[in-house]
Amino acid sequence: MATNLQFPDDFKCPISLEIMSDPVILSSGHTFDRASIQRWLDAGHRTCPITKLPLPENPSLIPNHALRSLISNFALVSLPKPRPYPEPQTLISKLTSVSSSLDSKLNSLDQLTKLSKRDSAFRRKITESGAVSAVLNCIGSSENPILQEKSLSLLLNLSLDDDNKVGLVAEGAIGRVVESLQTGSADSRAVAATILTSLAVVEVNKATIGEYPYAIRALVFLLREGKVRERKEAATALYALCSYPDNRRRAAQCGAVPILVGIADSGLERAIEVLGLLGKSKEGREAMERVNGLVRVLVRVLKNGSSRGVEYALLTLSSLCCYSEEMCVEARREGVLEICMGLVEDENEKIKRKASSLVEVLRGNHS
């Protein structure tokens, strides 16, 4: 029977384990559903989820037209017609009605979140049906942590489409998300940080988020006080935001640098990537100069880190050594020159280029 039909495993995304609607090929040769692998990349990963091998800085996602056609034909021949989606307005009205029970609201959020996770058309339909305002109200007025977390999860799904990112900010999403960063449960804070990462994909949103009172300060607080997942998501959000120059100054002024160094020392390489961006600002460099042991932490990454970690450790050291002769002296004392001489032969072009540049700086040949 078609209803009991088992799809071939090759039709399923290795990440979501769901049937792929838009299969794309990564440079590793493996195929993933576009939405799943894009979330993986947006979270800052630069390795293949299957092989764990490094990926380029901007990985290409090549449409797998052959597989998509196979899946489409298989479904067309073998599967019954899908049941129509429930009307979003019906579910949304349960979120806004004062007579709705908590269980009813939670059930509506579960359905909206599940349907919006994989279907961009349904995400648009939800947005057009006025869901954003209802979801933001649930986030802001809820004293129930489960309701808040589920509302944030739906908001995260709605933020996946670039067309929605600016609109969500215009409707006041940043305020609700920052409130959740400050007062939510651990899970809500982690999801809230992920939403900021998603919204920051759009350049104009980076400035808007950075200018919002307490946004960056709340992320820095999460870096210091959060659990492992919260710290990782906060660091990822800061990395996304600090590609915008003004946000580097804000993060440094909020005390991010010594916290990032401590987290980097405990093994979270995302913190090194954020330091690499902060090192491009005067405030970031000045803050780094005041942190004892920073160069030793960066040296450990140069010796034992991933390719991406090594790249950003080199970037950070270059910024510091060009800025301060004292940092040059400390770097030489910690053996950075010798390490860079070895990295000049690295097969990774970015590492090779950054190592060569730092060698020139440490030898005093830079202008």
Side-chain angles (χ1 to χ4, degrees):
M1 293 291 291
T3 52
N4 296 323
L5 186 67
Q6 292 294 314
F7 279 93
D9 287 343
D10 287 345
F11 288 6
K12 298 177 182 179
C13 175
I15 296 175
S16 69
L17 302 181
E18 301 287 346
I19 302 303
M20 289 183 277
S21 60
D22 187 7
V24 293
I25 305 171
L26 209 55
S27 58
S28 63
H30 291 276
T31 296
F32 305 86
D33 201 28
R34 183 183 295 275
S36 295
I37 192 61
Q38 191 62 59
R39 280 196 294 275
W40 170 268
L41 297 173
D42 288 346
H45 299 292
R46 285 301 177 272
T47 57
C48 172
I50 293 178
T51 66
K52 308 302 181 186
L53 294 174
L55 298 171
E57 180 67 23
N58 297 302
S60 297
L61 301 179
I62 302 169
N64 192 333
H65 296 298
L67 182 56
R68 182 170 185 169
S69 179
L70 282 173
I71 295 172
S72 177
N73 291 336
F74 188 91
L76 185 64
V77 171
S78 307
L79 297 180
K81 293 179 66 175
R83 289 181 297 175
Y85 287 136
E87 278 300 315
Q89 193 58 57
T90 304
L91 298 172
I92 295 166
S93 65
K94 293 180 182 179
L95 299 179
T96 57
S97 173
V98 293
S99 62
S100 292
S101 66
L102 176 61
D103 284 344
S104 176
K105 289 182 178 181
L106 293 175
N107 181 60
S108 293
L109 285 168
D110 280 339
Q111 290 190 65
L112 287 166
T113 302
K114 182 179 179 181
L115 291 166
S116 64
K117 184 177 181 180
R118 298 185 299 273
D119 194 317
S120 60
F122 191 74
R123 286 197 289 269
R124 286 194 297 274
K125 197 170 184 180
I126 294 176
T127 306
E128 291 165 0
S129 298
V132 174
S133 176
V135 174
L136 293 180
N137 284 336
C138 283
I139 295 170
S141 62
S142 173
E143 295 181 358
N144 184 289
I146 299 176
L147 183 63
Q148 184 184 58
E149 184 185 342
K150 288 181 181 293
S151 300
L152 286 165
S153 295
L154 175 54
L155 188 65
L156 176 59
N157 283 359
L158 297 180
S159 76
L160 296 177
D161 295 333
D162 286 353
D163 290 344
N164 281 345
K165 295 183 193 295
V166 174
L168 289 174
V169 171
E171 291 201 49
I174 295 175
R176 295 302 192 203
V177 171
V178 172
E179 286 174 19
S180 300
L181 278 175
Q182 295 174 303
T183 63
S185 65
D187 286 337
S188 289
R189 291 197 297 264
V191 176
T194 308
I195 291 171
L196 290 184
T197 301
S198 178
L199 294 176
V201 169
V202 176
E203 198 68 25
V204 67
N205 284 350
K206 294 176 184 179
T208 306
I209 295 169
E211 290 169 358
Y212 195 91
Y214 306 113
I216 288 180
R217 186 174 298 278
L219 289 171
V220 173
F221 177 83
L222 205 58
L223 272 183
R224 186 176 71 244
E225 302 295 336
K227 298 177 183 177
V228 173
R229 181 189 173 201
E230 297 165 82
R231 288 181 174 184
K232 184 176 180 180
E233 296 300 341
T236 300
L238 283 171
Y239 177 78
L241 290 168
C242 287
S243 64
Y244 180 70
D246 283 357
N247 290 339
R248 300 167 192 162
R249 170 180 53 80
R250 294 183 179 110
Q253 291 173 342
C254 287
V257 168
I259 300 169
L260 287 165
V261 174
I263 294 173
D265 197 21
S266 68
L268 181 61
E269 281 195 357
R270 175 64 75 187
I272 295 290
E273 296 173 24
V274 182
L275 287 171
L277 295 181
L278 297 187
K280 296 181 178 182
S281 70
K282 178 175 179 289
E283 293 80 4
R285 292 189 297 268
E286 289 176 347
M288 287 182 210
E289 271 201 296
R290 296 192 290 269
V291 178
N292 291 327
L294 167 61
V295 174
R296 284 195 297 276
V297 171
L298 295 173
V299 165
R300 276 200 293 275
V301 176
L302 291 182
K303 290 179 177 178
N304 305 311
S306 68
S307 294
R308 191 169 171 85
V310 170
E311 179 189 337
Y312 276 88
L314 289 169
L315 175 63
T316 307
L317 284 164
S318 291
S319 297
L320 290 171
C321 292
C322 287
Y323 172 74
S324 165
E325 181 57 35
E326 289 182 10
M327 296 304 291
C328 266
V329 171
E330 184 175 353
R332 293 189 197 100
R333 187 169 60 243
E334 294 291 339
V336 173
L337 180 59
E338 290 75 15
I339 295 171
C340 286
M341 293 295 290
L343 291 174
V344 167
E345 304 300 324
D346 196 274
E347 61 185 24
N348 184 304
E349 285 297 326
K350 290 185 177 180
I351 290 176
K352 184 185 300 185
R353 187 167 61 250
K354 286 181 169 61
S356 298
S357 175
L358 185 51
V359 166
E360 294 298 308
V361 172
L362 292 173
R363 284 176 169 172
N365 297 330
H366 66 295
S367 55

Short mmCIF file of all heavy atoms in Angstrom, two decimals, residues 116 123-124 126-137 139 151-178 191-192 194-202 204-205 208-209 212:
data_model
loop_
_atom_site.label_atom_id
_atom_site.label_comp_id
_atom_site.label_asym_id
_atom_site.label_seq_id
_atom_site.Cartn_x
_atom_site.Cartn_y
_atom_site.Cartn_z
N SER A 116 5.94 25.02 9.45
CA SER A 116 6.79 26.08 8.92
C SER A 116 8.26 25.68 8.83
O SER A 116 9.06 26.37 8.19
CB SER A 116 6.68 27.34 9.79
OG SER A 116 7.17 27.08 11.11
N ARG A 123 5.48 29.17 5.39
CA ARG A 123 6.01 30.28 6.22
C ARG A 123 5.46 31.61 5.73
O ARG A 123 5.08 32.48 6.52
CB ARG A 123 7.54 30.29 6.18
CG ARG A 123 8.19 29.19 7.00
CD ARG A 123 9.66 29.48 7.26
NE ARG A 123 10.49 29.36 6.09
CZ ARG A 123 11.09 28.24 5.71
NH1 ARG A 123 10.90 27.13 6.40
NH2 ARG A 123 11.86 28.21 4.65
N ARG A 124 5.41 31.79 4.40
CA ARG A 124 4.86 33.03 3.85
C ARG A 124 3.38 33.16 4.19
O ARG A 124 2.89 34.24 4.53
CB ARG A 124 5.05 33.07 2.33
CG ARG A 124 6.49 33.35 1.90
CD ARG A 124 6.56 33.71 0.43
NE ARG A 124 6.12 32.61 -0.44
CZ ARG A 124 6.93 31.62 -0.85
NH1 ARG A 124 8.20 31.61 -0.48
NH2 ARG A 124 6.47 30.67 -1.63
N ILE A 126 1.83 31.88 6.77
CA ILE A 126 1.71 32.22 8.19
C ILE A 126 1.94 33.70 8.40
O ILE A 126 1.19 34.39 9.11
CB ILE A 126 2.73 31.41 9.03
CG1 ILE A 126 2.41 29.92 8.99
CG2 ILE A 126 2.72 31.89 10.48
CD1 ILE A 126 3.43 29.07 9.70
N THR A 127 3.00 34.22 7.80
CA THR A 127 3.34 35.63 7.97
C THR A 127 2.23 36.52 7.46
O THR A 127 1.85 37.50 8.12
CB THR A 127 4.66 35.95 7.23
OG1 THR A 127 5.68 35.05 7.68
CG2 THR A 127 5.10 37.38 7.52
N GLU A 128 1.71 36.19 6.28
CA GLU A 128 0.65 37.00 5.68
C GLU A 128 -0.65 36.93 6.49
O GLU A 128 -1.51 37.80 6.37
CB GLU A 128 0.40 36.54 4.25
CG GLU A 128 1.56 36.86 3.31
CD GLU A 128 1.50 36.09 1.99
OE1 GLU A 128 0.53 35.31 1.82
OE2 GLU A 128 2.40 36.26 1.16
N SER A 129 -0.78 35.88 7.31
CA SER A 129 -1.99 35.71 8.11
C SER A 129 -1.92 36.45 9.44
O SER A 129 -2.82 36.32 10.27
CB SER A 129 -2.26 34.22 8.36
OG SER A 129 -2.45 33.53 7.15
N GLY A 130 -0.84 37.20 9.66
CA GLY A 130 -0.72 38.00 10.88
C GLY A 130 -0.14 37.28 12.07
O GLY A 130 -0.35 37.70 13.22
N ALA A 131 0.61 36.20 11.80
CA ALA A 131 1.14 35.40 12.91
C ALA A 131 2.20 36.13 13.72
O ALA A 131 2.32 35.91 14.92
CB ALA A 131 1.71 34.09 12.38
N VAL A 132 2.98 36.99 13.07
CA VAL A 132 4.13 37.59 13.75
C VAL A 132 3.70 38.35 14.99
O VAL A 132 4.26 38.19 16.09
CB VAL A 132 4.92 38.51 12.80
CG1 VAL A 132 6.02 39.24 13.55
CG2 VAL A 132 5.51 37.69 11.65
N SER A 133 2.70 39.19 14.86
CA SER A 133 2.21 39.96 16.00
C SER A 133 1.75 39.04 17.13
O SER A 133 2.06 39.27 18.31
CB SER A 133 1.08 40.88 15.56
OG SER A 133 0.53 41.57 16.66
N ALA A 134 1.01 37.99 16.77
CA ALA A 134 0.51 37.05 17.77
C ALA A 134 1.66 36.33 18.49
O ALA A 134 1.65 36.17 19.71
CB ALA A 134 -0.42 36.03 17.12
N VAL A 135 2.67 35.92 17.71
CA VAL A 135 3.81 35.20 18.30
C VAL A 135 4.61 36.14 19.21
O VAL A 135 5.02 35.74 20.31
CB VAL A 135 4.70 34.62 17.19
CG1 VAL A 135 5.96 34.01 17.78
CG2 VAL A 135 3.94 33.57 16.39
N LEU A 136 4.83 37.36 18.77
CA LEU A 136 5.58 38.31 19.61
C LEU A 136 4.84 38.60 20.90
O LEU A 136 5.47 38.77 21.96
CB LEU A 136 5.82 39.61 18.83
CG LEU A 136 6.76 39.52 17.63
CD1 LEU A 136 6.91 40.87 16.95
CD2 LEU A 136 8.13 38.99 18.03
N ASN A 137 3.52 38.66 20.84
CA ASN A 137 2.74 38.86 22.07
C ASN A 137 2.90 37.69 23.02
O ASN A 137 3.00 37.87 24.24
CB ASN A 137 1.26 39.08 21.74
CG ASN A 137 0.98 40.46 21.19
OD1 ASN A 137 1.74 41.40 21.45
ND2 ASN A 137 -0.08 40.60 20.41
N ILE A 139 5.50 35.77 23.22
CA ILE A 139 6.85 35.84 23.78
C ILE A 139 6.90 36.89 24.89
O ILE A 139 7.47 36.65 25.97
CB ILE A 139 7.88 36.20 22.69
CG1 ILE A 139 7.97 35.07 21.66
CG2 ILE A 139 9.25 36.46 23.31
CD1 ILE A 139 8.79 35.42 20.43
N SER A 151 7.17 29.70 21.22
CA SER A 151 6.93 30.90 20.41
C SER A 151 8.22 31.36 19.74
O SER A 151 8.23 31.76 18.58
CB SER A 151 6.37 32.03 21.30
OG SER A 151 5.15 31.65 21.89
N LEU A 152 9.33 31.29 20.48
CA LEU A 152 10.62 31.66 19.91
C LEU A 152 11.02 30.70 18.80
O LEU A 152 11.59 31.11 17.78
CB LEU A 152 11.68 31.69 21.00
CG LEU A 152 11.63 32.87 21.98
CD1 LEU A 152 12.49 32.59 23.20
CD2 LEU A 152 12.09 34.16 21.30
N SER A 153 10.73 29.41 18.96
CA SER A 153 11.07 28.44 17.92
C SER A 153 10.31 28.72 16.63
O SER A 153 10.86 28.60 15.54
CB SER A 153 10.75 27.01 18.41
OG SER A 153 11.58 26.66 19.51
N LEU A 154 9.04 29.10 16.76
CA LEU A 154 8.26 29.47 15.57
C LEU A 154 8.83 30.74 14.94
O LEU A 154 8.96 30.83 13.71
CB LEU A 154 6.79 29.67 15.94
CG LEU A 154 5.87 30.17 14.81
CD1 LEU A 154 5.96 29.27 13.57
CD2 LEU A 154 4.43 30.26 15.29
N LEU A 155 9.19 31.71 15.77
CA LEU A 155 9.78 32.95 15.25
C LEU A 155 11.08 32.65 14.50
O LEU A 155 11.36 33.24 13.45
CB LEU A 155 10.04 33.93 16.39
CG LEU A 155 10.48 35.34 15.99
CD1 LEU A 155 9.38 36.06 15.23
CD2 LEU A 155 10.88 36.15 17.22
N LEU A 156 11.87 31.72 15.03
CA LEU A 156 13.11 31.34 14.35
C LEU A 156 12.81 30.77 12.97
O LEU A 156 13.47 31.12 11.98
CB LEU A 156 13.87 30.32 15.19
CG LEU A 156 15.15 29.73 14.57
CD1 LEU A 156 16.17 30.82 14.26
CD2 LEU A 156 15.77 28.68 15.49
N ASN A 157 11.81 29.89 12.87
CA ASN A 157 11.43 29.34 11.56
C ASN A 157 11.01 30.44 10.60
O ASN A 157 11.38 30.43 9.42
CB ASN A 157 10.29 28.33 11.72
CG ASN A 157 10.76 27.00 12.26
OD1 ASN A 157 11.95 26.80 12.50
ND2 ASN A 157 9.85 26.08 12.46
N LEU A 158 10.23 31.39 11.09
CA LEU A 158 9.76 32.47 10.22
C LEU A 158 10.92 33.34 9.74
O LEU A 158 10.87 33.94 8.67
CB LEU A 158 8.73 33.34 10.95
CG LEU A 158 7.43 32.64 11.36
CD1 LEU A 158 6.51 33.61 12.08
CD2 LEU A 158 6.73 32.03 10.15
N SER A 159 11.99 33.38 10.53
CA SER A 159 13.14 34.22 10.17
C SER A 159 14.05 33.58 9.13
O SER A 159 15.00 34.20 8.66
CB SER A 159 13.98 34.55 11.42
OG SER A 159 14.77 33.43 11.81
N LEU A 160 13.78 32.32 8.77
CA LEU A 160 14.67 31.61 7.84
C LEU A 160 14.63 32.21 6.44
O LEU A 160 15.61 32.12 5.71
CB LEU A 160 14.30 30.13 7.78
CG LEU A 160 14.48 29.34 9.08
CD1 LEU A 160 14.00 27.90 8.90
CD2 LEU A 160 15.92 29.36 9.54
N ASP A 161 13.51 32.79 6.05
CA ASP A 161 13.39 33.37 4.72
C ASP A 161 13.89 34.81 4.72
O ASP A 161 13.46 35.62 5.54
CB ASP A 161 11.92 33.33 4.25
CG ASP A 161 11.42 31.91 4.07
OD1 ASP A 161 12.25 31.03 3.79
OD2 ASP A 161 10.20 31.68 4.21
N ASP A 162 14.76 35.13 3.77
CA ASP A 162 15.32 36.48 3.71
C ASP A 162 14.23 37.54 3.58
O ASP A 162 14.36 38.64 4.12
CB ASP A 162 16.30 36.60 2.53
CG ASP A 162 17.61 35.88 2.80
OD1 ASP A 162 17.80 35.42 3.95
OD2 ASP A 162 18.44 35.78 1.89
N ASP A 163 13.16 37.21 2.87
CA ASP A 163 12.07 38.18 2.70
C ASP A 163 11.42 38.54 4.03
O ASP A 163 10.83 39.61 4.16
CB ASP A 163 11.00 37.61 1.76
CG ASP A 163 11.49 37.51 0.33
OD1 ASP A 163 12.50 38.15 0.01
OD2 ASP A 163 10.86 36.79 -0.47
N ASN A 164 11.52 37.66 5.01
CA ASN A 164 10.89 37.91 6.31
C ASN A 164 11.79 38.67 7.28
O ASN A 164 11.30 39.27 8.24
CB ASN A 164 10.49 36.59 6.98
CG ASN A 164 9.21 36.02 6.42
OD1 ASN A 164 8.45 36.71 5.74
ND2 ASN A 164 8.95 34.76 6.70
N LYS A 165 13.11 38.62 7.05
CA LYS A 165 14.04 39.11 8.07
C LYS A 165 13.85 40.60 8.39
O LYS A 165 13.83 40.99 9.56
CB LYS A 165 15.48 38.83 7.65
CG LYS A 165 15.81 37.32 7.57
CD LYS A 165 17.26 37.09 7.21
CE LYS A 165 17.54 35.64 6.83
NZ LYS A 165 17.34 34.68 7.90
N VAL A 166 13.73 41.43 7.38
CA VAL A 166 13.54 42.86 7.62
C VAL A 166 12.15 43.12 8.20
O VAL A 166 11.98 43.94 9.11
CB VAL A 166 13.75 43.66 6.32
CG1 VAL A 166 13.42 45.14 6.54
CG2 VAL A 166 15.20 43.52 5.84
N GLY A 167 11.15 42.40 7.68
CA GLY A 167 9.78 42.58 8.17
C GLY A 167 9.64 42.23 9.65
O GLY A 167 8.94 42.92 10.39
N LEU A 168 10.31 41.17 10.09
CA LEU A 168 10.26 40.79 11.50
C LEU A 168 10.84 41.88 12.38
O LEU A 168 10.29 42.20 13.45
CB LEU A 168 11.03 39.48 11.72
CG LEU A 168 10.39 38.21 11.16
CD1 LEU A 168 11.33 37.04 11.34
CD2 LEU A 168 9.06 37.93 11.84
N VAL A 169 11.94 42.47 11.93
CA VAL A 169 12.55 43.58 12.69
C VAL A 169 11.60 44.76 12.74
O VAL A 169 11.41 45.39 13.79
CB VAL A 169 13.91 43.97 12.07
CG1 VAL A 169 14.44 45.26 12.70
CG2 VAL A 169 14.92 42.84 12.24
N ALA A 170 10.95 45.05 11.62
CA ALA A 170 10.02 46.18 11.57
C ALA A 170 8.84 45.98 12.51
O ALA A 170 8.28 46.95 13.04
CB ALA A 170 9.53 46.39 10.14
N GLU A 171 8.44 44.73 12.73
CA GLU A 171 7.30 44.45 13.61
C GLU A 171 7.69 44.38 15.09
O GLU A 171 6.84 44.09 15.93
CB GLU A 171 6.61 43.16 13.18
CG GLU A 171 5.88 43.29 11.84
CD GLU A 171 4.81 42.22 11.67
OE1 GLU A 171 4.01 42.04 12.59
OE2 GLU A 171 4.81 41.58 10.59
N GLY A 172 8.96 44.61 15.40
CA GLY A 172 9.37 44.66 16.80
C GLY A 172 9.98 43.39 17.35
O GLY A 172 10.04 43.21 18.57
N ALA A 173 10.46 42.52 16.46
CA ALA A 173 11.01 41.23 16.93
C ALA A 173 12.23 41.42 17.82
O ALA A 173 12.42 40.67 18.79
CB ALA A 173 11.35 40.35 15.73
N ILE A 174 13.08 42.39 17.51
CA ILE A 174 14.33 42.53 18.26
C ILE A 174 14.04 42.76 19.75
O ILE A 174 14.68 42.16 20.62
CB ILE A 174 15.19 43.67 17.70
CG1 ILE A 174 15.65 43.33 16.28
CG2 ILE A 174 16.43 43.90 18.58
CD1 ILE A 174 16.40 44.46 15.60
N GLY A 175 13.08 43.64 20.04
CA GLY A 175 12.76 43.92 21.43
C GLY A 175 12.36 42.68 22.20
O GLY A 175 12.82 42.44 23.32
N ARG A 176 11.47 41.87 21.60
CA ARG A 176 11.03 40.64 22.26
C ARG A 176 12.17 39.65 22.42
O ARG A 176 12.30 38.96 23.45
CB ARG A 176 9.90 39.99 21.46
CG ARG A 176 8.62 40.80 21.38
CD ARG A 176 8.06 41.11 22.74
NE ARG A 176 6.72 41.65 22.66
CZ ARG A 176 6.16 42.39 23.61
NH1 ARG A 176 6.84 42.67 24.71
NH2 ARG A 176 4.92 42.83 23.47
N VAL A 177 13.01 39.55 21.41
CA VAL A 177 14.12 38.60 21.45
C VAL A 177 15.12 39.01 22.53
O VAL A 177 15.61 38.16 23.29
CB VAL A 177 14.79 38.49 20.07
CG1 VAL A 177 16.08 37.68 20.16
CG2 VAL A 177 13.84 37.87 19.06
N VAL A 178 15.42 40.29 22.62
CA VAL A 178 16.36 40.76 23.64
C VAL A 178 15.79 40.55 25.04
O VAL A 178 16.51 40.17 25.97
CB VAL A 178 16.72 42.24 23.40
CG1 VAL A 178 17.56 42.79 24.56
CG2 VAL A 178 17.51 42.39 22.09
N VAL A 191 17.69 29.93 21.95
CA VAL A 191 16.93 30.14 20.72
C VAL A 191 16.91 31.62 20.35
O VAL A 191 17.03 31.99 19.18
CB VAL A 191 15.49 29.60 20.87
CG1 VAL A 191 14.67 29.90 19.61
CG2 VAL A 191 15.50 28.10 21.13
N ALA A 192 16.78 32.49 21.36
CA ALA A 192 16.76 33.93 21.10
C ALA A 192 18.07 34.38 20.45
O ALA A 192 18.07 35.18 19.50
CB ALA A 192 16.53 34.70 22.40
N THR A 194 20.00 32.52 18.62
CA THR A 194 19.99 31.97 17.27
C THR A 194 19.15 32.84 16.33
O THR A 194 19.49 33.01 15.15
CB THR A 194 19.45 30.53 17.28
OG1 THR A 194 20.17 29.76 18.25
CG2 THR A 194 19.61 29.88 15.91
N ILE A 195 18.05 33.38 16.85
CA ILE A 195 17.20 34.26 16.04
C ILE A 195 18.00 35.50 15.62
O ILE A 195 17.93 35.94 14.47
CB ILE A 195 15.93 34.67 16.81
CG1 ILE A 195 15.02 33.46 16.99
CG2 ILE A 195 15.19 35.78 16.08
CD1 ILE A 195 13.85 33.70 17.92
N LEU A 196 18.77 36.08 16.55
CA LEU A 196 19.57 37.25 16.19
C LEU A 196 20.58 36.89 15.10
O LEU A 196 20.83 37.70 14.19
CB LEU A 196 20.29 37.80 17.43
CG LEU A 196 19.41 38.46 18.49
CD1 LEU A 196 20.26 39.05 19.60
CD2 LEU A 196 18.52 39.55 17.88
N THR A 197 21.17 35.71 15.18
CA THR A 197 22.08 35.25 14.13
C THR A 197 21.36 35.20 12.78
O THR A 197 21.89 35.65 11.76
CB THR A 197 22.65 33.87 14.46
OG1 THR A 197 23.34 33.92 15.71
CG2 THR A 197 23.62 33.40 13.38
N SER A 198 20.17 34.64 12.79
CA SER A 198 19.39 34.52 11.56
C SER A 198 19.03 35.89 11.00
O SER A 198 19.17 36.14 9.79
CB SER A 198 18.12 33.71 11.83
OG SER A 198 17.32 33.61 10.67
N LEU A 199 18.57 36.79 11.84
CA LEU A 199 18.18 38.13 11.38
C LEU A 199 19.39 38.91 10.86
O LEU A 199 19.27 39.72 9.94
CB LEU A 199 17.52 38.91 12.52
CG LEU A 199 16.17 38.38 13.01
CD1 LEU A 199 15.69 39.20 14.21
CD2 LEU A 199 15.12 38.40 11.90
N ALA A 200 20.57 38.65 11.44
CA ALA A 200 21.77 39.40 11.07
C ALA A 200 22.34 39.00 9.71
O ALA A 200 23.30 39.61 9.24
CB ALA A 200 22.85 39.23 12.14
N VAL A 201 21.74 37.99 9.07
CA VAL A 201 22.16 37.65 7.71
C VAL A 201 21.94 38.84 6.78
O VAL A 201 22.71 39.07 5.84
CB VAL A 201 21.38 36.41 7.21
CG1 VAL A 201 21.59 36.19 5.73
CG2 VAL A 201 21.81 35.17 8.00
N VAL A 202 20.90 39.62 7.04
CA VAL A 202 20.61 40.82 6.26
C VAL A 202 21.42 41.99 6.83
O VAL A 202 21.34 42.29 8.01
CB VAL A 202 19.10 41.15 6.29
CG1 VAL A 202 18.82 42.45 5.55
CG2 VAL A 202 18.31 40.01 5.67
N VAL A 204 21.41 45.28 6.77
CA VAL A 204 20.80 46.41 7.47
C VAL A 204 20.38 46.02 8.88
O VAL A 204 20.37 46.87 9.79
CB VAL A 204 19.59 46.95 6.66
CG1 VAL A 204 18.45 45.95 6.63
CG2 VAL A 204 19.11 48.28 7.22
N ASN A 205 20.05 44.75 9.09
CA ASN A 205 19.63 44.31 10.43
C ASN A 205 20.78 44.31 11.42
O ASN A 205 20.56 44.45 12.64
CB ASN A 205 19.01 42.91 10.36
CG ASN A 205 17.60 42.92 9.81
OD1 ASN A 205 17.01 43.98 9.64
ND2 ASN A 205 17.07 41.75 9.53
N THR A 208 20.76 47.68 12.96
CA THR A 208 19.56 47.87 13.77
C THR A 208 19.66 47.11 15.09
O THR A 208 19.34 47.63 16.16
CB THR A 208 18.31 47.40 13.00
OG1 THR A 208 18.27 48.07 11.74
CG2 THR A 208 17.05 47.72 13.76
N ILE A 209 20.12 45.86 15.02
CA ILE A 209 20.27 45.06 16.24
C ILE A 209 21.32 45.67 17.15
O ILE A 209 21.13 45.78 18.36
CB ILE A 209 20.63 43.61 15.89
CG1 ILE A 209 19.47 42.94 15.13
CG2 ILE A 209 20.97 42.80 17.15
CD1 ILE A 209 19.82 41.59 14.51
N TYR A 212 20.15 48.57 19.11
CA TYR A 212 19.05 48.34 20.05
C TYR A 212 19.61 48.25 21.47
O TYR A 212 20.59 47.55 21.71
CB TYR A 212 18.31 47.05 19.70
CG TYR A 212 16.98 46.94 20.41
CD1 TYR A 212 15.83 47.43 19.81
CD2 TYR A 212 16.89 46.40 21.68
CE1 TYR A 212 14.60 47.36 20.46
CE2 TYR A 212 15.68 46.33 22.34
CZ TYR A 212 14.54 46.81 21.72
OH TYR A 212 13.34 46.76 22.37
#
